[in-house]
Amino acid sequence: MLRILRSGQRWLTAILVAGIGTVFVVFPGLQGPSDFSSSQQIVKVGPLEFGIAEFERVRERREAAIQEELGDRYDPRAMRETRDNLAARELVESGLLALAAGDLGLQVTTREIERLVLADPGFRNEEGKFDREQFEKYTQYVYGSQKAFMAERRLAMLAMKMLSLLQGQPGVSE
C-alpha cells in the first residue's frame, strides 16, 4: 500500500487539490442561484474572492475552448451548466494553488508580469514595438483597470509556479 502511495505521489496531490476544490464549488452551488452584482463574490477560496467579472472572463475562455473542441456539435444552451461549473472549478483550483504557493514562500514580482506583458504579441504595433496605448485600452476594457489585470496575472502566475513545483517533485525510490 505504501509503495502504491509513493509511486502515485503526484496523482495523490492532484486528486487532493481537485477534491478540496470540488467542495468549494459544490457547497456554494447548494444554496441555489442568486443575483450577483459586479462587486459581489461568486467564488471564495480562503482570503481570495472572485467576482462576476473574473468568473465571466474564465467562463468565456472555457466556452471558446469547448467550442473549438466540439466544433459544429457545440450547443451553448446544453453546455451552459458544464461551462459554468468548469469556470468555477478553474477559479477554485487557481486560488488553491496560489494560496499553497504563497504558503511555500513563492512570489511573483511586478517585473515578471511586465516581462510577460512585453513579450505578448497582442500588445505590439506594426513595427513590433510594445504599444502602451493598446495595452491600456485592453486592460481597461477587459479588466476594468491595470490594477485588476496585474492582480489576475499575479494570481495566475503564482498558480503556474505551484503547478510547476508539483510536477517537478521527485519520486520516492524503493
Side-chain angles (χ1 to χ4, degrees):
M1 179 71 168
L2 186 57
R3 188 176 73 227
I4 293 170
L5 287 176
R6 286 181 182 156
S7 65
Q9 186 177 14
R10 289 184 193 155
W11 286 104
L12 186 61
T13 304
I15 290 170
L16 180 64
V17 168
I20 292 170
T22 303
V23 169
F24 283 102
V25 171
V26 172
F27 184 75
L30 294 176
Q31 298 170 354
S34 61
D35 295 327
F36 288 101
S37 71
S38 61
S39 65
Q40 288 182 314
Q41 70 184 21
I42 290 181
V43 176
K44 182 173 180 172
V45 181
L48 301 174
E49 296 180 354
F50 301 98
I52 190 76
E54 293 93 346
F55 180 78
E56 286 178 352
R57 277 193 295 276
V58 172
R59 184 174 56 192
E60 286 174 10
R61 276 198 316 264
R62 284 292 182 172
E63 182 175 24
I66 293 169
Q67 197 169 14
E68 184 178 320
E69 186 176 326
L70 296 178
D72 294 338
R73 297 175 299 164
Y74 178 71
D75 180 7
R77 285 178 283 148
M79 296 298 293
R80 183 179 59 210
E81 187 175 332
T82 301
R83 185 184 60 228
D84 291 349
N85 286 338
L86 288 172
R89 183 177 179 176
E90 183 177 326
L91 288 171
V92 168
E93 288 175 355
S94 67
L96 288 172
L97 288 168
L99 288 174
D103 289 346
L104 292 176
L106 298 176
Q107 297 178 353
V108 174
T109 65
T110 303
R111 184 67 190 136
E112 286 176 291
I113 298 170
E114 287 173 358
R115 278 196 299 263
L116 181 75
V117 168
L118 291 173
D120 190 328
F123 300 130
R124 298 200 178 272
N125 59 20
E126 292 83 28
E127 294 87 40
K129 294 184 179 183
F130 179 73
D131 187 345
R132 184 165 186 77
E133 184 178 326
Q134 188 172 347
F135 170 72
E136 289 173 356
K137 284 180 182 178
Y138 172 79
T139 56
Q140 185 64 36
Y141 179 75
V142 176
Y143 292 90
S145 69
Q146 285 185 26
K147 184 178 178 181
F149 171 81
M150 296 290 278
E152 188 166 310
R153 288 293 90 215
R154 180 170 277 119
L155 184 77
M157 291 175 75
L158 199 53
M160 289 304 296
K161 282 185 176 187
M162 186 64 188
L163 272 177
S164 295
L165 182 67
L166 288 173
Q167 290 171 347
Q169 284 182 344
V172 178
S173 66
E174 292 293 322

